[in-house]
Coordinates of all heavy atoms in Angstrom, one line a residue:
A105 N 106.6 169.0 190.8 CA 106.8 167.9 191.7 C 106.9 166.5 191.0 O 107.7 165.8 191.5 CB 105.6 167.8 192.7
L106 N 106.3 166.3 189.9 CA 106.3 165.2 189.2 C 107.8 164.9 188.6 O 108.3 164.0 188.4 CB 105.3 165.1 188.1 CG 105.1 163.6 187.4 CD1 104.9 162.6 188.4 CD2 104.0 163.9 186.4
T107 N 108.4 166.1 188.2 CA 109.7 166.1 187.6 C 110.7 165.3 188.4 O 111.5 164.6 188.0 CB 110.2 167.5 187.2 OG1 109.2 168.2 186.4 CG2 111.5 167.5 186.5
Q108 N 110.7 165.6 189.8 CA 111.6 165.1 190.7 C 111.4 163.6 190.8 O 112.3 162.9 190.9 CB 111.5 165.7 192.0 CG 111.9 167.3 192.1 CD 111.6 167.9 193.3 OE1 110.7 167.5 194.2 NE2 112.2 169.0 193.6
V109 N 110.2 163.1 190.7 CA 109.7 161.8 190.9 C 110.2 160.8 189.7 O 110.6 159.8 189.9 CB 108.3 161.6 191.3 CG1 107.9 160.1 191.3 CG2 107.9 162.3 192.6
L110 N 110.0 161.5 188.5 CA 110.3 160.8 187.4 C 111.7 160.4 187.2 O 112.0 159.4 186.5 CB 109.8 161.6 186.2 CG 108.2 161.7 185.9 CD1 107.9 162.5 184.7 CD2 107.7 160.3 185.7
G111 N 112.6 161.1 187.8 CA 114.0 160.9 187.8 C 114.4 159.4 188.3 O 115.4 158.8 188.0
A112 N 113.5 158.8 189.1 CA 113.8 157.5 189.7 C 113.3 156.4 188.8 O 113.6 155.2 189.1 CB 112.9 157.4 191.0
F113 N 112.7 156.7 187.7 CA 112.1 155.7 186.8 C 113.0 155.6 185.5 O 112.6 156.3 184.5 CB 110.6 155.9 186.5 CG 109.8 155.8 187.7 CD1 109.5 156.9 188.4 CD2 109.3 154.6 188.0 CE1 108.6 156.7 189.5 CE2 108.4 154.4 189.2 CZ 108.2 155.5 190.0
H114 N 114.1 154.9 185.6 CA 115.0 154.9 184.4 C 114.6 154.2 183.1 O 115.2 154.5 182.1 CB 116.3 154.4 184.9 CG 116.9 155.0 186.1 ND1 117.4 156.3 186.0 CD2 116.9 154.6 187.4 CE1 117.8 156.6 187.3 NE2 117.5 155.6 188.2
H115 N 113.5 153.4 183.1 CA 113.0 152.7 182.1 C 111.5 153.1 181.7 O 111.1 152.4 180.7 CB 113.1 151.2 182.2 CG 114.5 150.8 182.6 ND1 115.6 150.6 181.7 CD2 115.1 150.4 183.7 CE1 116.7 150.3 182.1 NE2 116.4 150.1 183.4
L116 N 111.1 154.1 182.2 CA 109.7 154.6 181.9 C 109.6 155.2 180.5 O 110.5 156.0 180.2 CB 109.2 155.7 182.8 CG 107.9 156.2 182.7 CD1 106.9 155.2 183.0 CD2 107.8 157.4 183.6
T117 N 108.7 154.6 179.7 CA 108.6 155.2 178.2 C 107.3 155.8 178.1 O 107.2 156.5 177.2 CB 108.8 153.9 177.3 OG1 107.9 153.0 177.4 CG2 110.2 153.3 177.3
Y118 N 106.3 155.4 178.7 CA 104.9 156.1 178.6 C 104.4 156.5 179.9 O 104.3 155.6 180.9 CB 104.0 154.9 177.9 CG 102.7 155.2 177.7 CD1 102.4 156.3 176.7 CD2 101.7 154.6 178.1 CE1 101.1 156.7 176.3 CE2 100.2 154.9 177.8 CZ 100.0 156.0 176.9 OH 98.8 156.5 176.6
L119 N 103.9 157.6 179.9 CA 103.2 158.2 181.1 C 101.7 158.6 180.6 O 101.6 159.4 179.9 CB 104.0 159.5 181.5 CG 103.4 160.2 182.8 CD1 103.4 159.1 184.0 CD2 104.3 161.3 183.0
D120 N 100.8 157.9 181.3 CA 99.4 158.2 181.0 C 98.7 159.1 182.1 O 98.5 158.4 183.3 CB 98.6 156.9 180.9 CG 97.2 157.1 180.4 OD1 96.6 158.2 180.4 OD2 96.6 156.0 179.8
L121 N 98.4 160.3 181.9 CA 97.8 161.1 182.9 C 96.3 161.3 182.7 O 95.7 162.2 183.1 CB 98.5 162.5 183.0 CG 99.9 162.5 183.1 CD1 100.5 163.8 182.9 CD2 100.2 162.0 184.6
S122 N 95.7 160.4 181.9 CA 94.3 160.4 181.6 C 93.4 160.5 182.9 O 93.8 159.8 183.9 CB 93.8 159.2 180.8 OG 94.5 159.2 179.7
P123 N 92.2 161.3 182.9 CA 91.5 161.3 184.0 C 90.7 159.8 184.1 O 90.5 159.1 183.1 CB 90.4 162.3 183.7 CG 90.6 162.5 182.2 CD 91.8 162.1 181.7
T124 N 90.2 159.3 185.3 CA 89.6 158.2 185.5 C 88.1 158.4 185.3 O 87.6 159.6 185.3 CB 90.0 157.6 186.8 OG1 89.4 158.5 187.8 CG2 91.5 157.4 187.1
N125 N 87.4 157.4 185.3 CA 85.9 157.4 185.1 C 85.4 158.2 186.3 O 84.4 158.9 186.2 CB 85.3 156.1 185.1 CG 85.5 155.4 183.8 OD1 85.7 156.0 182.8 ND2 85.5 154.1 183.8
V126 N 86.0 158.1 187.5 CA 85.5 158.8 188.6 C 85.7 160.3 188.7 O 84.8 161.0 189.0 CB 86.3 158.2 190.0 CG1 85.9 159.0 191.1 CG2 86.0 156.8 190.2
D127 N 86.7 160.7 187.9 CA 87.0 162.1 187.8 C 85.9 162.9 187.1 O 85.5 164.1 187.7 CB 88.3 162.4 187.0 CG 89.5 162.0 187.7 OD1 89.6 161.8 188.9 OD2 90.6 161.7 187.0
G128 N 85.4 162.4 185.9 CA 84.4 163.1 185.3 C 84.7 164.5 184.8 O 84.0 165.3 184.4
I129 N 86.1 164.7 184.6 CA 86.6 166.1 184.2 C 87.4 165.9 183.0 O 88.3 164.9 182.9 CB 87.5 166.6 185.4 CG1 86.6 166.8 186.6 CG2 88.0 168.0 184.8 CD1 87.5 167.2 187.7
R130 N 87.3 166.7 182.1 CA 88.1 166.6 180.8 C 89.0 167.8 180.9 O 88.6 169.0 181.1 CB 87.2 166.7 179.6 CG 88.0 166.6 178.4 CD 87.3 166.5 177.2 NE 88.1 166.5 176.0 CZ 87.8 166.6 174.7 NH1 86.5 166.6 174.5 NH2 88.5 166.6 173.7
G131 N 90.3 167.5 180.8 CA 91.3 168.6 181.0 C 91.2 169.6 179.9 O 90.9 169.3 178.6
Q132 N 91.7 170.8 180.0 CA 91.9 171.7 178.9 C 93.2 171.7 178.3 O 94.2 171.5 178.9 CB 91.6 173.2 179.4 CG 90.4 173.4 180.1 CD 89.1 173.3 179.2 OE1 89.3 173.9 178.0 NE2 88.1 172.5 179.5
Q133 N 93.2 171.7 176.9 CA 94.4 171.6 176.2 C 95.2 172.9 176.2 O 94.6 173.9 176.0 CB 94.2 171.0 174.8 CG 95.4 170.9 174.0 CD 95.2 170.5 172.6 OE1 94.1 170.6 172.1 NE2 96.2 170.0 172.0
N134 N 96.4 172.8 176.6 CA 97.2 173.9 176.5 C 98.6 173.4 175.8 O 99.4 172.9 176.6 CB 97.5 174.7 177.8 CG 98.5 175.9 177.8 OD1 99.3 176.0 176.8 ND2 98.3 176.7 178.7
E135 N 98.7 173.5 174.5 CA 99.8 172.8 173.8 C 101.2 173.4 174.3 O 102.1 172.5 174.5 CB 99.7 173.2 172.3 CG 100.8 172.5 171.5 CD 100.4 172.4 170.1 OE1 99.2 172.1 169.6 OE2 101.3 172.8 169.3
T136 N 101.4 174.6 174.6 CA 102.7 175.2 175.0 C 103.0 174.7 176.4 O 104.1 174.1 176.5 CB 102.6 176.7 175.1 OG1 102.2 177.2 173.8 CG2 103.9 177.4 175.5
E137 N 102.1 174.5 177.3 CA 102.3 174.0 178.7 C 102.6 172.5 178.4 O 103.6 172.0 179.3 CB 101.1 174.3 179.6 CG 101.4 173.8 181.0 CD 100.3 174.1 181.9 OE1 99.3 174.8 181.5 OE2 100.4 173.7 183.1
E138 N 101.8 171.8 177.7 CA 102.0 170.3 177.6 C 103.5 170.0 177.0 O 104.1 169.1 177.6 CB 100.9 169.7 176.8 CG 99.6 169.6 177.5 CD 98.4 169.1 176.8 OE1 98.7 168.7 175.6 OE2 97.4 168.9 177.3
R139 N 103.8 170.7 176.0 CA 105.0 170.5 175.4 C 106.2 170.9 176.4 O 107.2 170.1 176.4 CB 105.3 171.4 174.1 CG 106.6 171.1 173.4 CD 106.7 172.1 172.3 NE 105.7 172.2 171.4 CZ 105.5 171.4 170.2 NH1 106.2 170.5 169.9 NH2 104.3 171.7 169.6
S140 N 106.0 171.8 177.2 CA 107.0 172.2 178.1 C 107.2 171.1 179.2 O 108.3 170.9 179.6 CB 106.7 173.6 178.8 OG 107.5 173.9 179.8
L141 N 106.1 170.6 179.7 CA 106.1 169.6 180.7 C 106.8 168.4 180.1 O 107.6 167.7 180.8 CB 104.6 169.3 181.1 CG 104.0 170.3 182.1 CD1 102.6 170.0 182.2 CD2 104.6 170.3 183.4
C142 N 106.4 168.0 178.9 CA 107.1 166.8 178.2 C 108.7 167.0 178.2 O 109.3 166.0 178.6 CB 106.6 166.6 176.9 SG 104.9 166.0 176.8
S143 N 109.1 168.1 177.9 CA 110.6 168.5 177.8 C 111.1 168.4 179.2 O 112.2 167.8 179.3 CB 110.8 169.9 177.1 OG 110.4 169.9 175.9
S144 N 110.5 168.9 180.2 CA 111.1 168.9 181.5 C 111.1 167.5 182.1 O 112.1 167.2 182.7 CB 110.2 169.7 182.5 OG 110.2 171.1 182.1
W145 N 110.1 166.8 181.9 CA 110.1 165.4 182.4 C 111.1 164.6 181.6 O 111.8 163.7 182.3 CB 108.6 164.6 182.2 CG 107.7 165.4 183.0 CD1 107.8 166.2 184.2 CD2 106.3 165.5 182.9 NE1 106.6 166.8 184.7 CE2 105.6 166.2 183.9 CE3 105.4 164.9 181.9 CZ2 104.3 166.4 184.1 CZ3 104.0 165.1 182.0 CH2 103.4 165.9 183.1
A146 N 111.3 164.7 180.3 CA 112.3 164.0 179.7 C 113.7 164.3 180.0 O 114.6 163.5 179.8 CB 112.1 164.2 178.2
S147 N 113.8 165.5 180.5 CA 115.2 165.8 180.9 C 115.7 165.1 182.2 O 116.9 164.9 182.4 CB 115.3 167.5 181.1 OG 114.6 167.7 182.4
V148 N 114.8 164.6 182.9 CA 115.1 163.8 184.2 C 114.9 162.3 183.9 O 115.2 161.5 184.7 CB 114.5 164.3 185.4 CG1 114.9 165.7 185.7 CG2 113.0 164.1 185.4
C149 N 114.1 162.0 182.9 CA 113.7 160.6 182.5 C 114.0 160.4 181.1 O 113.0 160.6 180.2 CB 112.3 160.4 182.9 SG 111.7 158.8 182.7
A150 N 115.2 160.1 180.7 CA 115.6 160.1 179.3 C 114.9 159.1 178.4 O 114.8 159.2 177.3 CB 117.0 159.9 179.2
S151 N 114.3 158.1 179.1 CA 113.6 156.9 178.3 C 112.2 157.4 178.0 O 111.6 156.7 177.2 CB 113.6 155.7 179.2 OG 112.9 155.9 180.5
L152 N 111.6 158.5 178.6 CA 110.3 158.9 178.3 C 110.1 159.3 176.8 O 110.8 160.1 176.3 CB 109.9 160.0 179.1 CG 108.4 160.5 179.2 CD1 107.6 159.3 179.7 CD2 108.4 161.7 180.1
R153 N 109.0 158.5 176.2 CA 108.9 158.8 174.8 C 107.4 159.2 174.4 O 107.1 159.7 173.4 CB 109.2 157.5 173.9 CG 110.7 157.2 173.8 CD 111.5 158.2 173.1 NE 112.8 158.0 173.1 CZ 113.8 158.6 173.8 NH1 113.3 159.4 174.8 NH2 115.0 158.2 173.8
R154 N 106.4 159.0 175.3 CA 105.0 159.2 175.1 C 104.4 159.6 176.4 O 104.6 159.1 177.5 CB 104.4 158.0 174.7 CG 104.6 157.6 173.3 CD 103.7 156.4 172.7 NE 103.2 155.5 173.6 CZ 102.2 154.7 173.5 NH1 101.5 154.7 172.5 NH2 102.0 153.9 174.5
V155 N 103.6 160.7 176.3 CA 102.9 161.2 177.4 C 101.4 161.6 177.0 O 101.2 162.3 176.0 CB 103.5 162.5 178.0 CG1 102.7 163.1 179.2 CG2 105.0 162.3 178.4
K156 N 100.5 161.0 177.8 CA 99.1 161.3 177.4 C 98.4 162.1 178.5 O 98.5 161.8 179.7 CB 98.3 160.0 177.4 CG 96.8 160.1 177.1 CD 96.1 158.9 176.9 CE 94.7 159.0 176.5 NZ 93.9 157.7 176.5
F157 N 98.0 163.3 178.2 CA 97.4 164.2 179.2 C 95.9 164.2 179.3 O 95.3 163.6 178.5 CB 97.8 165.7 178.6 CG 99.2 166.1 178.9 CD1 100.2 165.9 177.9 CD2 99.6 166.7 180.1 CE1 101.5 166.2 178.2 CE2 100.9 167.0 180.3 CZ 101.9 166.8 179.3
P158 N 95.3 164.7 180.4 CA 94.0 164.7 180.5 C 93.2 165.4 179.5 O 92.0 165.2 179.2 CB 93.7 165.5 181.9 CG 95.0 165.2 182.6 CD 96.1 165.2 181.6
S159 N 93.8 166.3 178.7 CA 93.2 167.0 177.6 C 92.9 165.9 176.4 O 92.1 166.4 175.6 CB 94.1 168.1 177.1 OG 95.3 167.5 176.4
G160 N 93.5 164.8 176.5 CA 93.2 163.8 175.5 C 94.3 163.9 174.3 O 94.3 163.1 173.3
T161 N 95.2 164.6 174.6 CA 96.5 164.8 173.7 C 97.6 163.9 174.1 O 97.9 163.8 175.3 CB 96.9 166.4 173.6 OG1 95.8 167.1 173.2 CG2 98.0 166.5 172.5
E162 N 98.0 163.1 173.1 CA 99.2 162.3 173.4 C 100.4 162.8 172.7 O 100.3 163.0 171.5 CB 98.8 160.8 173.0 CG 100.1 159.8 173.2 CD 99.7 158.5 173.0 OE1 98.9 157.8 173.8 OE2 100.2 157.8 172.1
W163 N 101.4 163.0 173.5 CA 102.6 163.6 172.9 C 103.7 162.5 172.7 O 103.8 161.6 173.6 CB 103.2 164.6 173.9 CG 102.5 165.9 173.8 CD1 101.3 166.1 174.6 CD2 102.6 167.0 173.2 NE1 100.9 167.3 174.3 CE2 101.7 167.9 173.5 CE3 103.7 167.5 172.4 CZ2 101.6 169.2 173.0 CZ3 103.7 168.7 171.8 CH2 102.6 169.7 172.1
T164 N 104.4 162.4 171.6 CA 105.3 161.4 171.2 C 106.6 162.1 170.9 O 106.7 163.2 170.1 CB 104.9 160.5 170.0 OG1 103.6 160.0 170.3 CG2 105.9 159.4 169.7
F165 N 107.8 161.5 171.5 CA 109.1 162.1 171.2 C 109.7 161.3 170.2 O 109.8 160.0 170.2 CB 110.0 162.0 172.4 CG 111.3 162.8 172.3 CD1 111.3 164.2 172.2 CD2 112.4 162.1 172.2 CE1 112.5 164.8 172.0 CE2 113.7 162.7 172.0 CZ 113.7 164.1 172.0
G166 N 110.1 161.8 168.9 CA 110.8 161.2 168.0 C 111.0 162.0 166.7 O 110.8 163.3 166.9
K167 N 111.5 161.5 165.7 CA 111.7 162.1 164.5 C 110.5 162.1 163.5 O 109.9 161.2 163.4 CB 112.9 161.5 163.7 CG 114.3 161.6 164.3 CD 115.4 161.1 163.5 CE 116.7 161.4 164.0 NZ 117.7 161.0 163.2
E168 N 110.2 163.3 162.9 CA 109.1 163.3 162.1 C 109.3 162.6 160.8 O 108.4 162.0 160.2 CB 108.8 164.7 161.8 CG 107.3 165.0 161.2 CD 107.0 166.4 161.2 OE1 107.1 167.1 162.2 OE2 106.4 166.8 160.2
R169 N 110.5 162.7 160.4 CA 111.0 161.9 159.1 C 112.4 161.5 159.2 O 113.1 162.1 160.1 CB 110.8 162.7 157.9 CG 111.5 164.1 157.8 CD 111.0 164.8 156.6 NE 111.8 166.0 156.6 CZ 111.9 167.1 157.4 NH1 111.1 167.1 158.5 NH2 112.7 168.1 157.3
E170 N 112.8 160.6 158.4 CA 114.2 160.2 158.4 C 115.1 161.5 158.2 O 114.9 162.3 157.3 CB 114.6 159.3 157.4 CG 115.9 158.7 157.3 CD 116.2 157.8 158.7 OE1 115.3 157.3 159.2 OE2 117.3 157.9 159.1
G171 N 116.2 161.7 159.1 CA 117.0 162.8 159.0 C 116.5 164.1 159.6 O 117.2 165.1 159.7
G172 N 115.2 164.1 160.1 CA 114.7 165.2 160.8 C 115.1 165.4 162.2 O 115.9 164.5 162.7
N173 N 114.8 166.5 162.9 CA 115.2 166.6 164.2 C 114.2 165.8 165.2 O 113.0 165.7 165.0 CB 115.1 168.1 164.6 CG 116.1 168.9 163.8 OD1 117.2 168.5 163.5 ND2 115.7 170.2 163.4
W174 N 114.7 165.5 166.3 CA 113.9 164.9 167.3 C 113.2 166.0 168.0 O 113.7 167.1 168.3 CB 114.9 164.2 168.4 CG 115.4 162.9 167.9 CD1 116.6 162.8 167.1 CD2 114.9 161.6 168.1 NE1 116.7 161.5 166.7 CE2 115.8 160.8 167.5 CE3 113.9 161.1 168.8 CZ2 115.7 159.3 167.5 CZ3 113.7 159.7 168.9 CH2 114.6 158.9 168.2
S175 N 111.8 165.7 168.3 CA 110.9 166.8 168.9 C 109.7 166.0 169.5 O 109.4 164.8 169.3 CB 110.6 167.8 168.0 OG 109.8 167.2 167.0
W176 N 109.0 166.7 170.3 CA 107.7 166.3 170.9 C 106.7 166.7 169.9 O 106.6 168.0 169.6 CB 107.5 166.9 172.2 CG 108.4 166.3 173.4 CD1 109.5 166.8 174.0 CD2 108.1 165.1 174.0 NE1 110.0 165.9 174.9 CE2 109.1 164.8 174.9 CE3 107.1 164.1 174.0 CZ2 109.2 163.7 175.8 CZ3 107.1 162.9 174.8 CH2 108.1 162.8 175.7
R177 N 105.9 165.8 169.5 CA 104.7 166.1 168.6 C 103.5 165.7 169.2 O 103.3 164.4 169.7 CB 104.9 165.3 167.4 CG 106.2 165.7 166.6 CD 106.4 164.9 165.3 NE 106.1 163.6 165.3 CZ 107.0 162.7 165.6 NH1 108.2 162.8 166.0 NH2 106.7 161.3 165.6
P178 N 102.3 166.5 169.2 CA 101.0 166.2 169.7 C 100.2 165.3 168.7 O 100.4 165.5 167.4 CB 100.5 167.5 169.9 CG 101.1 168.4 168.8 CD 102.4 168.0 168.6
K179 N 99.4 164.5 169.3 CA 98.3 163.9 168.6 C 97.1 163.8 169.3 O 97.1 163.3 170.5 CB 98.8 162.4 168.2 CG 97.7 161.7 167.6 CD 98.2 160.1 167.3 CE 97.1 159.4 166.6 NZ 97.5 158.0 166.4
R180 N 96.0 164.5 168.8 CA 94.8 164.5 169.5 C 94.0 163.1 169.4 O 93.7 162.7 168.3 CB 93.8 165.7 168.9 CG 92.6 165.9 169.8 CD 92.8 166.6 170.8 NE 91.5 166.9 171.5 CZ 91.4 166.9 172.8 NH1 92.4 166.9 173.7 NH2 90.2 167.1 173.3
L181 N 93.7 162.5 170.6 CA 93.1 161.2 170.4 C 91.5 161.5 170.3 O 91.1 162.2 171.1 CB 93.4 160.4 171.6 CG 94.9 160.1 171.8 CD1 95.2 159.4 173.1 CD2 95.4 159.3 170.7
P182 N 90.9 160.8 169.3 CA 89.5 161.1 169.0 C 88.5 160.8 170.2 O 87.5 161.5 170.3 CB 89.2 160.2 167.9 CG 90.2 159.2 167.7 CD 91.4 159.8 168.5
S183 N 88.8 159.8 171.0 CA 87.8 159.5 171.9 C 88.1 160.1 173.4 O 87.5 159.7 174.4 CB 87.7 157.9 172.1 OG 89.0 157.4 172.5
A184 N 89.0 161.0 173.4 CA 89.4 161.5 174.7 C 88.3 162.1 175.4 O 87.6 163.0 174.9 CB 90.6 162.5 174.5
G185 N 88.1 161.9 176.7 CA 87.2 162.4 177.6 C 85.8 162.0 177.4 O 84.9 162.5 178.1
R186 N 85.5 161.2 176.3 CA 84.0 160.8 176.1 C 83.8 159.6 176.8 O 84.4 158.5 176.7 CB 83.9 160.6 174.6 CG 84.0 161.8 173.9 CD 83.6 161.6 172.5 NE 84.3 162.7 171.7 CZ 84.8 162.6 170.6 NH1 84.8 161.5 169.9 NH2 85.3 163.7 169.9
R187 N 82.8 159.5 177.7 CA 82.4 158.4 178.5 C 81.0 158.1 178.4 O 80.2 158.9 178.4 CB 82.8 158.5 179.9 CG 84.4 158.7 179.9 CD 84.9 158.6 181.4 NE 86.2 159.1 181.6 CZ 87.3 158.8 180.9 NH1 87.4 158.0 180.0 NH2 88.4 159.5 181.3

């Protein structure tokens, strides 16, 4: 459902799906699913470059090094889910 909505945001670069303090829930990390979601969302929102999931993983779209391929790369944020 989010894929359809994101197509309306032509300049969106960062999507933060972090849980709020009210949630009290820490998401489970599933790297394969998160990478797939990033790719799906970017296919309808070409400006999207970063996505932060409830698992605390932030995905960034870019080149790993000069001349490298563009891809989604995960980065686990150290304070994720700790309140």
Side-chain angles (χ1 to χ4, degrees):
L106 189 55
T107 303
Q108 295 171 339
V109 173
L110 289 176
F113 297 93
H114 304 287
H115 301 289
L116 181 69
T117 59
Y118 181 60
L119 181 61
D120 188 344
L121 302 171
S122 301
T124 64
N125 288 334
V126 176
D127 292 337
I129 300 171
R130 183 174 179 186
Q132 298 297 314
Q133 181 181 16
N134 181 329
E135 188 170 307
T136 303
E137 183 178 355
E138 289 179 356
R139 183 185 313 268
S140 176
L141 286 169
C142 288
S143 295
S144 292
W145 295 338
S147 72
V148 297
C149 182
S151 59
L152 190 62
R153 294 291 179 263
R154 292 188 323 163
V155 179
K156 183 176 178 185
F157 283 92
S159 66
T161 302
E162 182 172 289
W163 290 80
T164 304
F165 187 72
K167 289 185 178 185
E168 191 167 323
R169 64 187 183 290
E170 188 64 34
N173 294 326
W174 286 81
S175 64
W176 285 98
R177 296 183 319 274
K179 178 181 178 184
R180 184 80 178 149
L181 301 175
S183 63
R186 295 185 199 142
R187 304 195 198 298

